[in-house]
Structure formats: C-alpha cells, structure tokens
Amino acid sequence: MTNCYLVADESAKQAVLFDAPDHTAGPLLGEAAKRGWDLIGLWLTHGHFDHFAGHAEVRAKFPQVKVLLHPLDARKTSNPDLQTRMFGLPFQIPPLEVDEQIKDGQKLKLGSMEFTVIHTPGHAPGHVCYYCSGQKLLIGGDLIIGGSVGRTDLPDANHRELEASIRRIMSLPPETRLLAGHGPASTLEHERRSNPFVQQALALEGQASKS
C-alpha cells in the first residue's frame, strides 16, 4: 500500500526510483531495464520500513545505484530490526548502507532535470520532499497524503513540525503535482481546497500572524 515512483529523463536514459517498498519496486525496476534506462539513484523520502524495505532488490538489479537519505533518519535504515519488532513484520529487512546523506536545499540532477531537497520533518525527523520546479512536480512522501497527512503518533514524530512542514510545502505553486507516499496523485491546490489537515495547518499560520 506504499507508492514508489520511477522518474526518468528519457533523452539521457537516466532514471531515479523514489522509495522502495517491499514487494513493490520490482515491476518498476523491470520497466527501467526494458527501456534501457540507467537507474542512478534510490532517493528515499524517509526511513520508515515501508519506504525502504525493497532496497536490496534495487541494488541487486542495479548495483551502481546511489541511495540518498537525510541523516536524521539514518538510524532507522541501518537498524531495521527496530521497526521489524515494533510493527511485528512477517519478513526481515537487511540493513541499508546509505551512499549520501542529503540536506535541505540541496540540488540533485537527473539528466536535464533538477530536484531540490526540502526537509519536511514531522512524520519523521529526516523526512524530505523532492521538488522539480521545471516539471512542477513534488515527490511528497508521507507529508500530505491525498486528503490526509502522515501520522504523528510514532516514535520521534512531531505534529507541530508536521504542520510547519505543510505550510512550507504549500508555499510552492498551487499547480504543483503531488505524488505522495500513499494513495493517488493530487495537486497542492486540490489539497488546499479539500484537505482539512492542510487547512488546519494553514489556519494556524494565519492565527499566528494576527497575534
């Protein structure tokens, strides 16, 4: 029930996989191979198990892939047994060695496309979104999830930080396409008009500016 996305610059024949859920990444890896795309990266939005559990399959098919993650979530991926026990998972996840720790504002290249890393803590301390202004595209992870938001009842989650991150993301152009970690695609404008959690976060900003 977790999304992963294969994004490519077809002229450069380069692609990146955003997140690697268990039992889900395989078909996209097959599609990349079929199209002759070089998978250069696995760019993780955060370190919850359902977003990186398939990392070994990715590296097995594309050994050259570089895994990116924010350092505040590195402990989750290097010690996956902590989540395996907490959630009672029926499978094991091998530890993940990250190739590069990313930071807020960092620019990442995929062929001719440029993505900006936006640190959006709340659901997880090291949660990030990846924004491509040229394509008006946001890989949003579990920040805003089609009518809802990422849960904050998990260890090291913080609801106030989540709302601040929502406000930051909602300052992007409203026509930006949102590809979330769960559920269907959306736009920031649609979430502004229909998502009560987003509306609440924005209302809090308005109240703060009046006080």
Side-chain angles (χ1 to χ4, degrees):
M1 301 299 289
T2 301
N3 294 329
C4 62
Y5 299 99
L6 181 67
V7 178
D9 180 331
E10 294 184 89
S11 60
K13 292 191 175 298
Q14 289 186 338
V16 163
L17 193 70
F18 292 89
D19 290 338
D22 52 284
H23 308 101
T24 304
L28 291 181
L29 297 176
E31 190 66 23
K34 184 176 74 174
R35 293 172 180 257
W37 295 341
D38 179 23
L39 191 72
I40 63 169
L42 169 57
W43 298 355
L44 299 175
T45 58
H46 61 298
H48 287 155
F49 80 90
D50 55 325
H51 291 261
F52 79 94
H55 73 89
E57 182 180 10
V58 177
R59 275 213 165 114
K61 292 188 177 179
F62 291 91
Q64 76 282 6
V65 73
K66 292 191 178 301
V67 181
L68 276 54
L69 178 70
H70 193 280
L72 290 179
D73 266 23
R75 182 170 177 266
K76 294 184 180 69
T77 61
S78 62
N79 296 282
D81 286 351
L82 298 176
Q83 295 189 66
T84 300
R85 292 194 299 268
M86 181 171 65
F87 291 103
L89 300 180
F91 55 88
Q92 296 296 312
I93 303 171
L96 168 61
E97 294 297 328
V98 173
D99 295 298
E100 182 180 344
Q101 294 185 340
I102 51 178
K103 61 183 180 180
D104 185 55
Q106 184 173 345
K107 306 297 185 182
L108 303 172
K109 296 291 288 186
L110 170 57
S112 62
M113 292 186 284
E114 182 177 81
F115 286 82
T116 302
V117 177
I118 305 177
H119 184 211
T120 50
H123 178 63
H127 191 287
V128 302
C129 297
Y130 298 92
Y131 175 57
C132 181
S133 61
Q135 298 292 326
K136 298 180 180 179
L137 175 67
L138 182 73
I139 309 295
D142 287 0
L143 179 64
I144 302 170
I145 311 173
S148 186
V149 295
R151 56 190 294 190
T152 53
D153 60 340
L154 299 169
D156 69 18
N158 185 298
H159 195 74
R160 287 188 177 181
E161 288 186 348
L162 181 86
E163 291 183 324
S165 295
I166 289 171
R167 290 192 289 270
R168 184 179 183 192
I169 287 300
M170 293 306 292
S171 69
L172 297 175
E175 65 273 18
T176 300
R177 291 177 292 161
L178 171 64
L179 300 183
H182 304 272
S186 183
T187 66
L188 294 186
E189 178 60 23
H190 178 76
E191 297 303 316
R192 183 187 295 272
R193 289 189 283 103
S194 63
N195 189 325
F197 299 95
V198 169
Q199 292 167 354
Q200 180 181 9
L202 295 176
L204 290 173
E205 181 181 40
Q207 292 172 11
S209 63
K210 292 177 183 177
S211 60

